């Protein structure tokens, strides 16, 4: 197994369900760090595209990984019996001026296959 998945990804994506809603610039910084770490770990040349490295190693991008984490959390929330936890589902849909990014995600769509 890849050391990135075992050691570094949990550090990089700690509390990603919360900061995953941050601006794309901030998420891009984490993606750049992941790309650099992959190049160092697997000694990839500069001429190899990041998408090729991700596809060959079957590693998700940071945005895809955060989307999967968030989807799993919200799918599990429905089955809880604790009212405090169930109340958190009300925050999934914001009817204000600015909608939250995860309110627009189609939860019924299937995940991309590796």
């Amino acid at each position: 197994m890849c050391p990135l998945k075992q050691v570094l990804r949990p550090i990089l994506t700690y509390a990603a369900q919360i900061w995953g809603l941050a601006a794309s610039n901030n998420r891009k910084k984490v993606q750049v760090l992941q790309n650099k770490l992959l190049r160092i770990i697997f000694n990839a040349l500069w001429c190899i595209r990041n998408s090729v490295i991700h596809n060959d190693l079957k590693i998700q991008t940071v945005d895809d990984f955060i989307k999967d984490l968030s989807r799993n959390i919200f799918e599990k929330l429905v089955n809880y019996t604790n009212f405090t936890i169930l109340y958190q589902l009300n925050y999934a849909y914001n009817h204000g001026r600015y909608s939250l990014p995860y309110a627009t995600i189609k939860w019924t769509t299937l995940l991309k296959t590796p």
Side-chain angles (χ1 to χ4, degrees):
M1 181 174 255
C2 174
L4 179 84
K5 288 184 179 179
Q6 292 176 341
V7 179
L8 298 172
R9 181 169 274 170
I11 295 169
L12 288 176
T13 59
Y14 179 75
Q17 296 84 356
I18 297 168
W19 63 260
L21 299 174
S24 61
N25 296 359
N26 297 330
R27 290 191 315 266
K28 187 175 180 182
K29 290 177 185 178
V30 177
Q31 181 62 51
V32 168
L33 182 60
Q34 178 176 314
N35 294 342
K36 287 181 180 181
L37 290 171
L38 283 173
R39 286 185 182 278
I40 291 170
I41 291 170
F42 293 102
N43 200 18
L45 298 175
W46 63 270
C47 58
I48 300 173
R49 291 180 176 260
N50 290 327
S51 59
V52 172
I53 295 172
H54 281 84
N55 289 337
D56 288 348
L57 298 174
K58 297 180 181 172
I59 294 178
Q60 293 175 313
T61 62
V62 172
D63 281 338
D64 290 340
F65 185 71
I66 291 172
K67 189 186 304 181
D68 290 346
L69 279 177
S70 297
R71 181 176 291 160
N72 289 339
I73 293 277
F74 279 100
E75 286 176 353
K76 290 178 183 177
L77 274 178
V78 177
N79 297 327
Y80 281 113
T81 57
N82 187 339
F83 292 112
T84 307
I85 294 175
L86 284 175
Y87 189 68
Q88 299 303 313
L89 287 174
N90 295 336
Y91 295 107
Y93 301 102
N94 184 7
H95 300 293
R97 182 174 177 188
Y98 301 106
S99 63
L100 299 173
Y102 53 82
T104 59
I105 294 174
K106 295 180 182 176
W107 296 103
T108 57
T109 57
L110 297 175
L111 299 175
K112 286 191 318 185
T113 56

